[in-house]
Coordinates of all heavy atoms in Angstrom, one line a residue:
M1 N 4.5 -9.0 17.9 CA 3.1 -8.9 17.4 C 3.0 -8.2 16.1 O 3.6 -7.2 15.9 CB 2.3 -8.2 18.5 CG 0.8 -8.3 18.3 SD -0.2 -7.8 19.7 CE -1.6 -7.1 18.9
K2 N 2.1 -8.7 15.3 CA 1.9 -8.1 14.0 C 0.9 -6.9 14.0 O 0.0 -6.9 14.8 CB 1.3 -9.1 13.0 CG 2.3 -10.3 12.8 CD 2.7 -10.3 11.4 CE 3.8 -11.4 11.2 NZ 4.3 -11.5 9.9
K3 N 1.2 -5.9 13.2 CA 0.4 -4.7 13.1 C -0.1 -4.5 11.7 O 0.6 -4.8 10.7 CB 1.2 -3.5 13.5 CG 1.7 -3.5 14.9 CD 2.8 -2.5 15.1 CE 4.0 -2.9 14.4 NZ 5.2 -2.1 14.8
K4 N -1.3 -3.9 11.6 CA -1.8 -3.6 10.3 C -1.3 -2.3 9.9 O -1.5 -1.3 10.6 CB -3.3 -3.6 10.4 CG -4.0 -5.0 10.6 CD -5.5 -4.8 10.7 CE -6.1 -6.2 10.5 NZ -5.8 -7.0 11.6
V5 N -0.7 -2.2 8.7 CA -0.1 -1.0 8.2 C -0.4 -0.8 6.7 O -0.7 -1.7 6.0 CB 1.4 -0.9 8.4 CG1 1.8 -1.0 9.9 CG2 2.2 -1.9 7.6
C6 N -0.2 0.4 6.3 CA -0.3 0.8 4.9 C 0.8 0.2 4.1 O 2.0 0.4 4.5 CB -0.4 2.3 4.7 SG -0.2 2.9 3.1
P7 N 0.6 -0.6 3.0 CA 1.7 -1.3 2.3 C 2.5 -0.2 1.6 O 3.6 -0.6 1.1 CB 1.0 -2.2 1.3 CG -0.4 -1.7 1.2 CD -0.8 -0.9 2.5
R8 N 2.0 1.0 1.4 CA 2.7 2.0 0.6 C 3.7 2.8 1.5 O 4.8 2.9 1.3 CB 1.7 2.9 -0.1 CG 2.4 3.8 -1.1 CD 1.5 5.1 -1.2 NE 0.7 5.1 -2.4 CZ -0.2 6.0 -2.6 NH1 -0.6 6.8 -1.7 NH2 -0.9 6.0 -3.7
C9 N 3.1 3.3 2.6 CA 4.0 4.2 3.5 C 4.3 3.6 4.9 O 5.1 4.2 5.6 CB 3.3 5.5 3.6 SG 1.9 5.5 4.6
G10 N 3.7 2.5 5.2 CA 3.9 1.8 6.5 C 3.2 2.5 7.7 O 3.5 2.1 8.8
S11 N 2.3 3.4 7.4 CA 1.6 4.1 8.5 C 0.6 3.2 9.1 O 0.0 2.3 8.5 CB 0.9 5.4 7.9 OG 0.1 5.9 8.9
R12 N 0.4 3.4 10.4 CA -0.6 2.6 11.1 C -1.9 3.4 11.1 O -2.9 3.0 11.7 CB -0.2 2.3 12.5 CG 0.6 1.0 12.6 CD 1.0 0.7 14.0 NE 2.3 1.2 14.3 CZ 2.9 1.3 15.5 NH1 2.1 1.0 16.6 NH2 4.1 1.7 15.6
N13 N -1.9 4.5 10.5 CA -3.1 5.4 10.4 C -4.0 5.0 9.4 O -4.3 5.7 8.4 CB -2.6 6.9 10.3 CG -3.7 7.9 10.6 OD1 -4.8 7.5 11.1 ND2 -3.5 9.1 10.3
V14 N -4.5 3.7 9.4 CA -5.3 3.2 8.4 C -6.7 2.8 8.9 O -6.8 2.5 10.1 CB -4.7 1.9 7.8 CG1 -3.5 2.3 7.0 CG2 -4.3 0.9 8.8
E15 N -7.7 2.9 8.1 CA -9.0 2.5 8.6 C -9.8 1.7 7.6 O -9.6 1.9 6.4 CB -9.8 3.8 8.9 CG -11.1 3.5 9.7 CD -11.7 4.8 10.2 OE1 -11.0 5.8 10.3 OE2 -13.0 4.8 10.3
W16 N -10.5 0.7 8.1 CA -11.3 -0.1 7.2 C -12.6 0.6 6.9 O -13.4 0.8 7.8 CB -11.6 -1.4 8.0 CG -12.2 -2.5 7.3 CD1 -12.2 -2.8 5.9 CD2 -12.8 -3.7 7.8 NE1 -12.8 -3.9 5.6 CE2 -13.1 -4.5 6.7 CE3 -13.0 -4.2 9.0 CZ2 -13.8 -5.8 6.9 CZ3 -13.7 -5.4 9.3 CH2 -14.0 -6.2 8.2
I17 N -12.8 1.0 5.7 CA -13.9 2.0 5.4 C -15.2 1.3 5.0 O -16.3 1.8 5.1 CB -13.5 3.1 4.4 CG1 -12.8 2.5 3.2 CG2 -12.6 4.1 5.1 CD1 -12.5 3.5 2.1
I18 N -15.0 0.1 4.4 CA -16.3 -0.5 3.9 C -16.3 -2.0 4.4 O -15.6 -2.9 4.0 CB -16.3 -0.6 2.3 CG1 -16.1 0.7 1.8 CG2 -17.6 -1.2 1.8 CD1 -16.0 0.7 0.2
P19 N -17.2 -2.2 5.5 CA -17.2 -3.5 6.1 C -17.5 -4.7 5.2 O -17.0 -5.8 5.3 CB -18.3 -3.4 7.1 CG -18.4 -1.9 7.4 CD -18.0 -1.2 6.1
Q20 N -18.2 -4.4 4.1 CA -18.6 -5.4 3.2 C -17.4 -5.8 2.3 O -17.4 -6.9 1.7 CB -19.8 -5.1 2.3 CG -21.1 -5.0 3.0 CD -21.2 -3.6 3.7 OE1 -20.4 -2.7 3.7 NE2 -22.3 -3.5 4.4
V21 N -16.4 -4.9 2.2 CA -15.3 -5.2 1.3 C -14.0 -5.3 2.2 O -13.5 -4.3 2.6 CB -15.1 -4.1 0.3 CG1 -14.0 -4.5 -0.8 CG2 -16.4 -3.9 -0.5
W22 N -13.6 -6.5 2.4 CA -12.4 -6.6 3.4 C -11.2 -6.0 2.9 O -10.4 -5.6 3.7 CB -12.2 -8.1 3.6 CG -11.6 -8.8 2.5 CD1 -12.2 -9.4 1.5 CD2 -10.2 -8.9 2.1 NE1 -11.4 -9.9 0.5 CE2 -10.1 -9.6 0.9 CE3 -9.0 -8.4 2.7 CZ2 -8.9 -9.8 0.2 CZ3 -7.8 -8.7 2.0 CH2 -7.8 -9.4 0.8
S23 N -11.0 -5.8 1.6 CA -9.8 -5.3 1.1 C -9.7 -3.8 0.9 O -8.8 -3.3 0.5 CB -9.5 -5.9 -0.2 OG -10.4 -5.6 -1.2
R24 N -10.8 -3.1 1.3 CA -10.9 -1.7 1.1 C -10.6 -0.9 2.3 O -11.4 -0.7 3.2 CB -12.3 -1.3 0.5 CG -12.3 0.2 0.2 CD -11.3 0.5 -0.9 NE -11.3 -0.3 -2.2 CZ -12.1 0.0 -3.2 NH1 -12.8 1.1 -3.1 NH2 -12.1 -0.7 -4.2
W25 N -9.3 -0.5 2.5 CA -8.9 0.3 3.6 C -8.4 1.6 3.0 O -8.1 1.7 1.8 CB -7.6 -0.4 4.3 CG -8.0 -1.6 5.0 CD1 -8.4 -2.8 4.5 CD2 -8.0 -1.8 6.5 NE1 -8.6 -3.7 5.5 CE2 -8.4 -3.1 6.7 CE3 -7.7 -1.0 7.5 CZ2 -8.5 -3.7 8.0 CZ3 -7.8 -1.5 8.9 CH2 -8.2 -2.8 9.0
V26 N -8.3 2.6 3.9 CA -7.8 3.9 3.5 C -6.7 4.2 4.5 O -6.8 4.0 5.6 CB -8.9 5.0 3.4 CG1 -9.5 5.2 4.8 CG2 -8.3 6.2 2.8
C27 N -5.6 4.9 3.9 CA -4.5 5.3 4.7 C -4.6 6.8 4.8 O -4.6 7.5 3.8 CB -3.2 4.9 4.0 SG -1.8 5.7 4.9
Y28 N -4.7 7.3 6.1 CA -4.8 8.8 6.2 C -3.5 9.5 6.1 O -3.5 10.7 6.1 CB -5.5 9.1 7.5 CG -6.9 8.7 7.6 CD1 -7.3 7.6 8.5 CD2 -7.9 9.3 6.7 CE1 -8.6 7.2 8.4 CE2 -9.2 8.8 6.7 CZ -9.6 7.8 7.6 OH -10.9 7.3 7.6
N29 N -2.5 8.8 6.0 CA -1.1 9.4 5.9 C -0.8 9.7 4.4 O -0.3 10.8 4.1 CB -0.1 8.4 6.5 CG 1.3 9.1 6.5 OD1 1.4 10.2 7.0 ND2 2.3 8.3 6.2
C30 N -1.0 8.8 3.5 CA -0.6 9.0 2.1 C -1.8 8.8 1.1 O -1.6 8.9 -0.1 CB 0.5 8.0 1.7 SG -0.1 6.3 1.6
D31 N -3.0 8.7 1.7 CA -4.2 8.6 0.7 C -4.3 7.3 0.0 O -5.0 7.3 -1.1 CB -4.3 9.8 -0.2 CG -4.6 11.1 0.5 OD1 -5.3 11.0 1.6 OD2 -4.2 12.1 0.0
Y32 N -3.5 6.4 0.3 CA -3.6 5.0 -0.3 C -5.0 4.4 0.0 O -5.5 4.6 1.1 CB -2.5 4.1 0.3 CG -2.7 2.6 0.0 CD1 -2.2 2.1 -1.2 CD2 -3.3 1.8 0.8 CE1 -2.3 0.8 -1.5 CE2 -3.5 0.4 0.6 CZ -3.0 -0.1 -0.6 OH -3.1 -1.4 -0.9
T33 N -5.6 3.7 -1.0 CA -6.8 2.9 -0.6 C -6.5 1.5 -1.2 O -5.9 1.4 -2.3 CB -8.0 3.5 -1.3 OG1 -7.9 3.6 -2.7 CG2 -8.4 4.8 -0.7
G34 N -7.0 0.5 -0.5 CA -6.9 -0.9 -1.0 C -6.5 -1.8 0.2 O -6.7 -1.4 1.3
P35 N -6.1 -3.0 -0.1 CA -5.8 -3.9 1.0 C -4.5 -3.5 1.8 O -3.6 -2.9 1.2 CB -5.5 -5.3 0.2 CG -5.2 -4.8 -1.2 CD -5.8 -3.5 -1.4
I36 N -4.6 -3.7 3.1 CA -3.4 -3.4 3.9 C -2.7 -4.7 4.2 O -3.1 -5.8 3.9 CB -3.7 -2.6 5.1 CG1 -4.8 -3.4 5.9 CG2 -4.2 -1.2 4.8 CD1 -4.8 -3.1 7.4
I37 N -1.5 -4.6 4.8 CA -0.7 -5.8 5.2 C -0.5 -5.8 6.7 O -0.5 -4.8 7.4 CB 0.6 -5.8 4.4 CG1 1.4 -4.5 4.6 CG2 0.4 -6.0 2.9 CD1 2.8 -4.5 4.0
E38 N -0.2 -7.0 7.2 CA 0.2 -7.1 8.6 C 1.7 -7.4 8.7 O 2.2 -8.3 8.0 CB -0.6 -8.3 9.2 CG -2.0 -7.9 9.5 CD -2.7 -9.0 10.3 OE1 -2.2 -9.4 11.4 OE2 -3.8 -9.5 9.8
V39 N 2.4 -6.6 9.5 CA 3.8 -6.7 9.5 C 4.3 -6.6 11.0 O 3.5 -6.3 11.9 CB 4.5 -5.6 8.8 CG1 4.1 -5.7 7.3 CG2 4.0 -4.2 9.3
D40 N 5.5 -7.0 11.2 CA 6.2 -6.9 12.5 C 6.9 -5.5 12.5 O 7.0 -4.8 11.5 CB 7.1 -8.0 12.8 CG 8.2 -8.3 11.8 OD1 8.4 -7.3 11.0 OD2 8.6 -9.4 11.7
D41 N 7.6 -5.2 13.6 CA 8.3 -3.9 13.8 C 9.3 -3.7 12.7 O 9.4 -2.6 12.1 CB 9.0 -3.8 15.1 CG 8.0 -3.5 16.2 OD1 6.9 -3.1 15.9 OD2 8.3 -3.9 17.4
E42 N 10.1 -4.8 12.4 CA 11.2 -4.6 11.5 C 10.6 -4.3 10.1 O 11.2 -3.4 9.4 CB 11.9 -6.0 11.4 CG 13.3 -5.9 10.8 CD 13.9 -7.3 10.6 OE1 13.5 -8.2 11.3 OE2 14.8 -7.3 9.7
M43 N 9.6 -5.0 9.7 CA 9.1 -4.8 8.4 C 8.4 -3.4 8.2 O 8.6 -2.7 7.3 CB 8.0 -5.9 8.1 CG 7.4 -5.9 6.7 SD 8.6 -6.3 5.5 CE 7.9 -5.4 4.1
E44 N 7.8 -3.0 9.3 CA 7.2 -1.7 9.3 C 8.2 -0.6 9.2 O 8.1 0.3 8.3 CB 6.5 -1.5 10.7 CG 5.8 -0.1 10.8 CD 5.3 0.2 12.2 OE1 5.8 -0.4 13.1 OE2 4.5 1.0 12.3
N45 N 9.3 -0.8 9.8 CA 10.4 0.2 9.7 C 11.0 0.3 8.3 O 11.3 1.3 7.8 CB 11.6 -0.1 10.6 CG 11.1 0.2 12.1 OD1 10.2 1.0 12.4 ND2 11.7 -0.5 13.1
K46 N 11.0 -0.9 7.6 CA 11.6 -1.0 6.3 C 10.6 -0.2 5.3 O 11.1 0.5 4.4 CB 11.7 -2.4 5.8 CG 13.0 -3.0 6.3 CD 13.2 -4.4 5.7 CE 14.4 -5.1 6.3 NZ 14.5 -6.5 6.0
I47 N 9.3 -0.5 5.5 CA 8.4 0.2 4.6 C 8.4 1.7 4.8 O 8.4 2.5 3.8 CB 6.9 -0.4 4.8 CG1 6.9 -1.8 4.5 CG2 6.0 0.4 4.0 CD1 5.6 -2.5 4.8
V48 N 8.4 2.1 6.0 CA 8.5 3.6 6.3 C 9.7 4.2 5.7 O 9.6 5.3 5.1 CB 8.4 3.8 7.9 CG1 8.6 5.3 8.2 CG2 7.1 3.4 8.4
K49 N 10.9 3.5 5.9 CA 12.1 4.0 5.3 C 12.1 4.1 3.8 O 12.4 5.1 3.2 CB 13.2 3.1 5.8 CG 14.6 3.7 5.6 CD 15.6 2.9 6.4 CE 17.1 3.2 6.0 NZ 17.6 2.5 5.0
N50 N 11.5 3.0 3.2 CA 11.5 2.9 1.8 C 10.6 4.1 1.3 O 10.9 4.7 0.3 CB 11.0 1.6 1.3 CG 10.9 1.4 -0.2 OD1 11.9 1.6 -0.8 ND2 9.7 1.1 -0.7
W51 N 9.5 4.3 1.9 CA 8.5 5.3 1.5 C 9.2 6.7 1.6 O 9.1 7.5 0.7 CB 7.3 5.2 2.4 CG 6.3 6.4 2.3 CD1 6.1 7.4 3.2 CD2 5.6 6.7 1.1 NE1 5.1 8.2 2.7 CE2 4.8 7.9 1.4 CE3 5.4 6.1 -0.2 CZ2 3.9 8.4 0.5 CZ3 4.5 6.7 -1.1 CH2 3.7 7.8 -0.7
K52 N 9.9 7.0 2.7 CA 10.5 8.3 2.9 C 11.6 8.5 1.9 O 11.7 9.6 1.3 CB 11.1 8.4 4.3 CG 10.1 8.7 5.4 CD 10.7 8.8 6.7 CE 9.7 9.0 7.8 NZ 10.2 8.6 9.1
E53 N 12.3 7.5 1.5 CA 13.4 7.6 0.6 C 13.0 7.7 -0.9 O 13.6 8.3 -1.7 CB 14.5 6.6 0.8 CG 15.3 6.7 2.0 CD 16.2 5.5 2.4 OE1 16.1 4.5 1.6 OE2 16.8 5.5 3.4
N54 N 11.9 7.0 -1.2 CA 11.5 6.8 -2.6 C 10.1 7.3 -2.8 O 9.5 6.9 -3.8 CB 11.6 5.3 -3.0 CG 13.0 4.8 -2.7 OD1 14.0 5.3 -3.3 ND2 13.1 3.8 -1.9
K55 N 9.6 8.1 -2.0 CA 8.2 8.6 -2.1 C 7.8 9.0 -3.5 O 6.9 8.6 -4.1 CB 8.0 9.7 -1.1 CG 6.6 10.2 -1.0 CD 6.5 11.2 0.1 CE 5.1 11.8 0.2 NZ 4.9 12.7 1.4
E56 N 8.6 9.9 -4.1 CA 8.3 10.4 -5.3 C 8.3 9.4 -6.5 O 7.5 9.4 -7.3 CB 9.2 11.6 -5.7 CG 8.7 12.8 -5.0 CD 9.7 14.0 -5.0 OE1 10.5 14.0 -6.0 OE2 9.6 14.8 -4.1
E57 N 9.3 8.5 -6.4 CA 9.4 7.5 -7.4 C 8.1 6.5 -7.3 O 7.5 6.1 -8.3 CB 10.6 6.7 -7.1 CG 11.0 5.7 -8.3 CD 12.1 4.8 -7.9 OE1 12.9 5.2 -7.0 OE2 12.2 3.7 -8.5
I58 N 7.8 6.2 -6.0 CA 6.6 5.3 -5.8 C 5.3 5.9 -6.3 O 4.6 5.3 -7.1 CB 6.5 5.0 -4.3 CG1 7.7 4.1 -3.8 CG2 5.2 4.2 -4.0 CD1 7.8 4.0 -2.3
L59 N 5.2 7.2 -6.0 CA 3.9 7.9 -6.5 C 3.9 8.0 -8.0 O 2.9 7.9 -8.7 CB 3.8 9.3 -5.9 CG 3.5 9.3 -4.4 CD1 3.5 10.7 -3.8 CD2 2.2 8.6 -4.1
Y60 N 5.1 8.3 -8.6 CA 5.3 8.4 -10.0 C 4.9 7.1 -10.7 O 4.1 7.0 -11.6 CB 6.7 8.8 -10.4 CG 6.9 8.9 -11.9 CD1 6.3 9.9 -12.6 CD2 7.8 8.1 -12.5 CE1 6.5 10.0 -14.0 CE2 8.0 8.2 -13.9 CZ 7.4 9.1 -14.6 OH 7.6 9.2 -15.9
K61 N 5.5 6.0 -10.2 CA 5.1 4.7 -10.8 C 3.7 4.4 -10.7 O 3.1 3.8 -11.6 CB 6.0 3.6 -10.1 CG 7.4 3.6 -10.6 CD 8.2 2.5 -10.0 CE 9.7 2.5 -10.5 NZ 10.6 1.8 -9.7
E62 N 3.1 4.7 -9.5 CA 1.7 4.4 -9.3 C 0.8 5.2 -10.3 O -0.2 4.7 -10.8 CB 1.3 4.6 -7.8 CG 1.7 3.5 -6.9 CD 1.2 3.7 -5.5 OE1 0.3 4.5 -5.4 OE2 1.7 3.0 -4.7
S63 N 1.2 6.4 -10.5 CA 0.4 7.3 -11.4 C 0.5 6.7 -12.8 O -0.5 6.8 -13.6 CB 0.9 8.7 -11.3 OG 2.1 8.9 -12.0
L64 N 1.7 6.2 -13.2 CA 1.8 5.6 -14.5 C 0.9 4.4 -14.7 O 0.2 4.3 -15.7 CB 3.3 5.2 -14.7 CG 4.3 6.3 -15.0 CD1 5.7 5.6 -15.3 CD2 3.9 7.2 -16.1
R65 N 1.0 3.6 -13.7 CA 0.2 2.4 -13.7 C -1.3 2.7 -13.8 O -2.2 2.1 -14.4 CB 0.5 1.4 -12.5 CG 0.1 0.0 -12.8 CD 0.3 -0.9 -11.6 NE -0.4 -0.4 -10.4 CZ 0.0 -0.5 -9.2 NH1 1.1 -1.1 -8.9 NH2 -0.8 -0.2 -8.2
K66 N -1.7 3.7 -13.0 CA -3.1 4.1 -12.8 C -3.6 4.6 -14.2 O -4.7 4.2 -14.7 CB -3.2 5.3 -11.9 CG -4.5 5.2 -11.1 CD -4.3 6.2 -9.9 CE -5.6 6.7 -9.4 NZ -5.4 7.7 -8.4
N67 N -2.8 5.4 -14.9 CA -3.2 5.9 -16.2 C -3.4 4.7 -17.2 O -4.3 4.7 -18.0 CB -2.1 6.9 -16.8 CG -2.2 8.1 -16.0 OD1 -3.2 8.5 -15.3 ND2 -1.0 8.9 -16.1
K68 N -2.5 3.8 -17.1 CA -2.5 2.7 -18.0 C -3.8 1.8 -17.8 O -4.4 1.3 -18.7 CB -1.3 1.8 -17.8 CG -0.8 1.1 -19.1 CD 0.5 0.3 -18.9 CE 0.2 -0.9 -18.1 NZ 1.5 -1.6 -17.7
D69 N -4.1 1.6 -16.5 CA -5.2 0.8 -16.1 C -6.6 1.5 -16.1 O -7.6 0.9 -15.8 CB -5.0 0.2 -14.8 CG -3.8 -0.8 -14.8 OD1 -3.4 -1.2 -15.9 OD2 -3.3 -1.2 -13.7
N70 N -6.5 2.8 -16.3 CA -7.7 3.6 -16.0 C -9.0 3.1 -16.6 O -10.0 3.1 -16.0 CB -7.4 5.0 -16.5 CG -7.9 6.0 -15.5 OD1 -8.2 5.6 -14.4 ND2 -7.9 7.3 -15.9
E71 N -9.0 2.6 -17.9 CA -10.2 2.3 -18.5 C -10.9 1.0 -17.9 O -12.1 1.0 -17.9 CB -10.0 2.1 -20.0 CG -9.9 3.5 -20.7 CD -9.5 3.4 -22.1 OE1 -9.7 2.4 -22.7 OE2 -9.0 4.4 -22.6
E72 N -10.1 0.0 -17.5 CA -10.7 -1.2 -17.1 C -10.9 -1.2 -15.6 O -11.7 -1.8 -15.1 CB -9.9 -2.4 -17.5 CG -8.4 -2.3 -17.2 CD -7.6 -3.4 -17.8 OE1 -8.1 -4.1 -18.6 OE2 -6.5 -3.6 -17.3
D73 N -10.1 -0.4 -14.8 CA -10.1 -0.4 -13.4 C -9.7 0.9 -12.8 O -8.5 1.2 -12.9 CB -9.2 -1.6 -12.9 CG -9.4 -1.8 -11.4 OD1 -10.2 -1.1 -10.8 OD2 -8.7 -2.7 -10.8
E74 N -10.6 1.6 -12.3 CA -10.3 2.9 -11.8 C -9.8 3.1 -10.4 O -9.4 4.1 -10.0 CB -11.4 3.9 -12.1 CG -12.7 3.5 -11.2 CD -13.9 4.4 -11.5 OE1 -13.9 4.9 -12.6 OE2 -14.7 4.6 -10.6
N75 N -9.8 2.0 -9.7 CA -9.2 2.0 -8.3 C -7.8 1.6 -8.3 O -7.3 1.0 -9.3 CB -10.1 1.3 -7.3 CG -10.0 -0.2 -7.5 OD1 -9.0 -0.8 -7.7 ND2 -11.2 -0.9 -7.5
E76 N -7.1 1.8 -7.2 CA -5.7 1.6 -7.2 C -5.3 0.4 -6.3 O -4.3 0.5 -5.6 CB -4.9 2.9 -6.8 CG -5.4 3.5 -5.6 CD -4.8 4.8 -5.4 OE1 -3.6 4.9 -5.0 OE2 -5.4 5.9 -5.5
E77 N -6.1 -0.5 -6.2 CA -5.8 -1.7 -5.3 C -4.6 -2.4 -5.8 O -4.4 -2.7 -7.0 CB -7.0 -2.7 -5.2 CG -8.1 -2.1 -4.3 CD -9.2 -3.1 -4.1 OE1 -8.9 -4.3 -4.3 OE2 -10.3 -2.7 -3.9
L78 N -3.8 -2.9 -4.9 CA -2.7 -3.8 -5.2 C -3.2 -5.2 -5.2 O -4.0 -5.6 -4.3 CB -1.6 -3.7 -4.2 CG -0.8 -2.4 -4.2 CD1 0.1 -2.3 -3.0 CD2 0.0 -2.1 -5.4
S79 N -2.8 -6.0 -6.2 CA -3.1 -7.4 -6.1 C -2.2 -8.1 -5.2 O -1.2 -7.5 -4.8 CB -3.0 -8.0 -7.5 OG -1.7 -8.0 -7.9
D80 N -2.5 -9.3 -4.8 CA -1.6 -10.1 -3.9 C -0.2 -10.2 -4.5 O 0.8 -10.1 -3.8 CB -2.2 -11.5 -3.7 CG -3.4 -11.4 -2.8 OD1 -3.6 -10.4 -2.2 OD2 -4.0 -12.5 -2.7
E81 N -0.2 -10.4 -5.8 CA 1.1 -10.5 -6.5 C 1.9 -9.2 -6.4 O 3.1 -9.2 -6.2 CB 0.9 -10.8 -8.0 CG 0.4 -12.2 -8.3 CD -1.1 -12.4 -8.1 OE1 -1.7 -11.4 -7.9 OE2 -1.5 -13.6 -8.0
E82 N 1.3 -8.1 -6.6 CA 1.9 -6.8 -6.5 C 2.4 -6.6 -5.0 O 3.5 -6.0 -4.8 CB 1.0 -5.7 -6.9 CG 0.8 -5.6 -8.4 CD -0.3 -4.7 -8.8 OE1 -1.3 -4.6 -8.2 OE2 -0.1 -4.0 -9.8
I83 N 1.7 -7.0 -4.0 CA 2.2 -6.9 -2.7 C 3.4 -7.7 -2.4 O 4.3 -7.3 -1.9 CB 1.0 -7.2 -1.7 CG1 -0.1 -6.1 -1.8 CG2 1.5 -7.3 -0.3 CD1 -1.3 -6.4 -1.0
D84 N 3.3 -8.9 -2.9 CA 4.5 -9.8 -2.8 C 5.7 -9.2 -3.4 O 6.8 -9.3 -2.9 CB 4.2 -11.2 -3.5 CG 3.2 -12.1 -2.7 OD1 3.0 -11.7 -1.5 OD2 2.8 -13.1 -3.2
E85 N 5.5 -8.7 -4.6 CA 6.5 -8.0 -5.4 C 7.1 -6.9 -4.6 O 8.4 -6.8 -4.4 CB 6.0 -7.5 -6.7 CG 7.0 -7.1 -7.7 CD 7.8 -8.2 -8.2 OE1 7.4 -9.4 -8.2 OE2 9.0 -8.0 -8.6
K86 N 6.3 -6.1 -4.0 CA 6.7 -5.0 -3.1 C 7.5 -5.5 -2.0 O 8.6 -4.9 -1.7 CB 5.5 -4.3 -2.6 CG 5.4 -2.9 -3.2 CD 4.1 -2.1 -2.6 CE 4.4 -0.7 -2.6 NZ 3.2 0.1 -2.4
L87 N 7.1 -6.5 -1.3 CA 7.8 -7.1 -0.2 C 9.1 -7.6 -0.6 O 10.1 -7.4 0.1 CB 6.9 -8.2 0.5 CG 5.6 -7.7 1.1 CD1 4.9 -8.8 1.8 CD2 5.9 -6.6 2.2
K88 N 9.2 -8.2 -1.7 CA 10.4 -8.8 -2.2 C 11.5 -7.7 -2.4 O 12.6 -7.8 -2.1 CB 10.2 -9.5 -3.6 CG 10.5 -11.0 -3.5 CD 10.2 -11.7 -4.8 CE 8.9 -12.5 -4.8 NZ 8.5 -12.9 -6.1
K89 N 11.0 -6.6 -3.0 CA 12.0 -5.5 -3.3 C 12.5 -4.9 -1.9 O 13.6 -4.4 -1.9 CB 11.2 -4.4 -4.0 CG 11.2 -4.6 -5.5 CD 10.5 -3.5 -6.3 CE 10.1 -3.9 -7.6 NZ 8.9 -3.2 -8.1
L90 N 11.7 -5.1 -0.9 CA 12.2 -4.7 0.4 C 13.1 -5.6 1.1 O 13.7 -5.4 2.2 CB 11.0 -4.4 1.3 CG 10.2 -3.1 0.9 CD1 8.9 -3.2 1.7 CD2 10.9 -1.8 1.2
G91 N 13.4 -6.7 0.4 CA 14.3 -7.7 0.9 C 13.8 -8.7 1.9 O 14.5 -9.1 2.8
I92 N 12.5 -9.0 1.8 CA 11.9 -10.0 2.7 C 12.0 -11.4 2.1 O 11.6 -11.6 1.0 CB 10.5 -9.6 3.0 CG1 10.4 -8.2 3.6 CG2 9.8 -10.7 3.9 CD1 11.2 -8.1 4.8
Ligands
LIG1 ZN1 -0.1 5.1 3.6

């Protein structure tokens, strides 16, 4: 069965904060906001492992991207393409 998890850290501690905006979730584990993903156990474990091993690198890259995009878009949502890219890197 698929579970809804944070695409960044794999936590299930996520909540849908704005009912009008389907893509706006918040992760209480890593403070991620944006769309979440549905995964099975195997995928969840991979994301959690990747997050634990590369946490600083992931946050660093996100901060770089955030600074770059700051003027046109101040939120940190992942596009579908970026989520696909992330999943690809995890070997899916
Ligand atoms: Zn998270």
